[in-house]
Amino acid sequence: MSTRRIPSFRFQHRKPAHYLCFVMSETVFIKNIAQLKTPGPDLHDPVITLSNAGILIENGRISWVGPMEKAPVPGSAAELDATGQTVTPGLIDCHTHLVFAGDRSDEFISRTQGATYEEIAAAGGGIRTTVLKTRSASSTDLLRSARHRIRRWIQQGVTTLEIKTGYGLESESEYRLLRIIDQLKNESPIDISPTFMGAHDIPPDIDRTVWINQIIQDLIPAIAMENLAEAVDVFCEKGVYTIGESDRILAAARKAGLAIKVHADELTPIGGASLAARYQAWSADHLLCVTDQGIRDLSSSGTVAVLLPGTAFYLKKPFAPLSKLTAAGIPVALATDFNPGSCPMESLSMVMTLAALYMGMSADDCLKAVTTNAARALGRHHVTGCLLPGYRADLVIWNAPDWNHLIYHPSVNHTAAVMAQGRWIFSTGEPIECPFH
């Protein structure tokens, strides 16, 4: 059959969203893939690497994957030739603070002159600065900026994205952020996982005890009833929320049927990892200062360690102890922690480069960390993160001869085309053959 190039549709729009238009074909066969890499379905499965491979997608799901010499007859499938290119699962960014107004570039400059994150926060800066800017911004402006950011994530091969609240720190403001995230979820071509993080900092204008009681008694039950969030996160940290306060908030989340995530042991070792383990949380995130006891507790919990090397890089902190975590058998994911203050980083490729250079993570483990393990940190590991039969057809075609190039050369966007749930949602217009007009 004749083939044509995928058209470049990265700047087109579809109603009612402000995203990339998408093209759907019920059956797609991607052939002659130079390198196909995918994690296995189970936690300790090795990464599968195939050369000269093919993958068949039917009705939004993968139905076959393997070497070309064993490929089934594609029949009426739309064939796409990926000669010289690499195919992987769609990337998953499982920790972002993506909806906010303003920036904190002045704080970044202060840190380059020696000021610490803690000193800036104690002086009234940090998260509270963004809270004030976000509260004063219109919903229209917050939506517009978030859409542009999500567009950039898609262009870098991300097909699943977590978004936290936390820049409202007041009941109606947090609700507004949740409604904005819900609108983004409903209109976006990628999968968005909303997380409620009213316990991101102590509000500048509400009594601490009053706010915690509002979170526990009012917000969490209402959010769960309205299905506005999948999980609750808390910044369990010295000077923010204590172990006792975090425990009360997480107990309310568990009672309401919401999943649990914890900002744990980022700046001080106060026991956040052990708390996350006790709740068998989806994830314990940061872990720059995790203790040996915290690692032992995590090792038997099933909780994913979500490491955020971009944050350590920006804050000039020691990186998380990857070797100790992996030696204990703890699944490790990587994420950007994109936010306006401690980590304005939008590139998972750069995150993987930092993990490889400064934490000793292998290229295959980097792939697992931004696919199947990241899916596990969002409760989606049975749905996405692998290129195996039955999984959702979330995948990326990379203009690179192998996966290593994404880590070796992170300053270049290697994305050729992105498929989410069987839909082509992005193409650079590179010479990829496809029968779509």
Side-chain angles (χ1 to χ4, degrees):
M1 64 180 294
S2 62
T3 56
R4 305 182 184 88
R5 292 181 179 181
I6 291 180
S8 176
F9 43 80
R10 52 183 165 166
F11 298 117
Q12 299 176 24
H13 301 299
R14 64 180 177 89
K15 296 179 181 180
H18 294 260
Y19 289 102
L20 320 171
C21 77
F22 64 88
V23 183
M24 177 96 179
S25 178
E26 288 190 358
T27 306
V28 176
F29 181 60
I30 305 174
K31 63 183 182 180
N32 302 330
I33 301 166
Q35 184 184 76
L36 184 147
K37 289 186 78 77
T38 181
D42 296 326
L43 190 58
H44 300 295
D45 283 346
V47 171
I48 300 165
T49 304
L50 298 175
S51 299
N52 191 27
I55 184 167
L56 183 65
I57 297 115
E58 298 179 285
N59 299 315
R61 291 192 175 270
I62 296 164
S63 60
W64 179 88
V65 60
M68 281 299 297
E69 61 266 24
K70 296 182 180 180
V73 177
S76 60
E79 293 190 19
L80 186 152
D81 191 347
T83 297
Q85 296 169 315
T86 297
V87 173
T88 69
L91 305 189
I92 299 171
D93 195 343
C94 60
H95 184 131
T96 82
H97 303 260
L98 189 136
V99 181
F100 61 85
D103 66 61
R104 304 213 301 269
S105 57
D106 55 336
E107 294 179 9
F108 171 77
I109 298 303
S110 295
R111 287 203 304 276
T112 67
Q113 303 304 309
T116 67
Y117 178 90
E118 297 91 331
E119 289 169 345
I120 291 169
I127 292 169
R128 296 185 182 189
T129 298
T130 302
V131 167
L132 297 177
K133 292 178 181 178
T134 302
R135 286 181 182 179
S136 63
S138 70
S139 295
T140 299
D141 286 343
L142 290 171
L143 270 168
R144 182 184 299 114
S145 61
R147 285 166 176 158
H148 284 306
R149 291 168 189 144
I150 292 173
R151 180 192 297 271
R152 293 197 291 271
W153 260 256
I154 291 171
Q155 291 172 342
Q156 296 182 75
V158 170
T159 56
T160 303
L161 178 67
E162 188 252 18
I163 304 177
K164 305 178 192 294
T165 70
Y167 293 122
L169 299 189
E170 181 272 327
S171 293
E172 185 49 44
S173 296
E174 284 292 308
Y175 258 112
R176 182 170 71 129
L177 294 179
L178 284 166
R179 288 192 292 267
I180 288 170
I181 296 170
D182 192 55
Q183 182 169 342
L184 294 168
K185 178 180 177 179
N186 290 332
E187 69 183 25
S188 172
I190 66 173
D191 185 6
I192 289 177
S193 175
T195 297
F196 169 60
M197 198 176 178
H200 194 196
D201 200 352
I202 305 301
D205 49 3
I206 303 175
D207 177 79
R208 180 190 196 96
T209 301
V210 169
W211 177 237
I212 292 171
N213 287 337
Q214 286 181 12
I215 290 174
I216 292 169
Q217 298 169 12
D218 301 328
L219 285 169
I220 288 177
I223 289 165
M225 183 175 297
E226 297 178 41
N227 197 31
L228 287 173
E230 296 178 0
V232 171
D233 199 344
V234 59
F235 195 178
C236 182
E237 182 59 63
K238 181 180 178 181
V240 194
Y241 291 86
T242 67
I243 288 287
E245 292 165 341
S246 300
D247 191 11
R248 290 179 59 209
I249 291 166
L250 298 182
R254 172 63 51 80
K255 182 179 179 180
L258 295 170
I260 289 168
K261 301 171 74 68
V262 182
H263 276 54
D265 300 325
E266 178 184 3
L267 305 173
T268 50
I270 69 169
S274 296
L275 180 65
R278 178 149 57 86
Y279 278 95
Q280 296 182 308
W282 270 358
S283 68
D285 301 35
H286 286 291
L287 302 175
L288 303 183
C289 300
V290 66
T291 63
D292 289 345
Q293 182 61 53
I295 292 173
R296 284 192 293 270
D297 291 338
L298 286 174
S299 68
S300 58
S301 68
T303 297
V304 177
V306 175
L307 306 186
L308 309 161
T311 307
F313 174 77
Y314 267 97
L315 295 182
K316 298 190 288 186
K317 300 281 188 181
F319 289 84
L322 173 69
S323 59
K324 287 186 175 182
L325 293 164
T326 55
I330 300 166
V332 171
L334 294 171
T336 61
D337 190 23
F338 172 72
N339 68 76
S342 61
C343 191
M345 183 176 289
E346 302 183 8
S347 169
L348 279 173
S349 286
M350 189 63 201
V351 167
M352 289 187 285
T353 301
L354 293 174
L357 287 175
Y358 299 107
M359 295 163 59
M361 186 174 280
S362 71
D364 280 3
D365 284 344
C366 282
L367 177 62
K368 292 176 69 173
V370 296
T371 55
T372 185
N373 286 355
R376 189 176 296 272
L378 298 178
R380 285 161 164 75
H381 52 291
H382 298 302
V383 178
T384 190
C386 295
L387 296 182
L388 295 172
Y391 278 77
R392 198 167 66 194
D394 297 339
L395 61 85
V396 187
I397 302 175
W398 305 101
N399 274 323
D402 57 53
W403 167 251
N404 296 343
H405 276 69
L406 272 79
I407 303 166
Y408 157 69
H409 200 184
S411 61
V412 171
N413 184 1
H414 300 279
T415 312
V418 181
M419 173 180 281
Q421 303 181 61
R423 295 172 169 86
W424 294 112
I425 63 169
F426 175 75
S427 167
T428 60
E430 297 293 338
I432 308 166
E433 299 299 322
C434 180
F436 302 144
H437 294 282

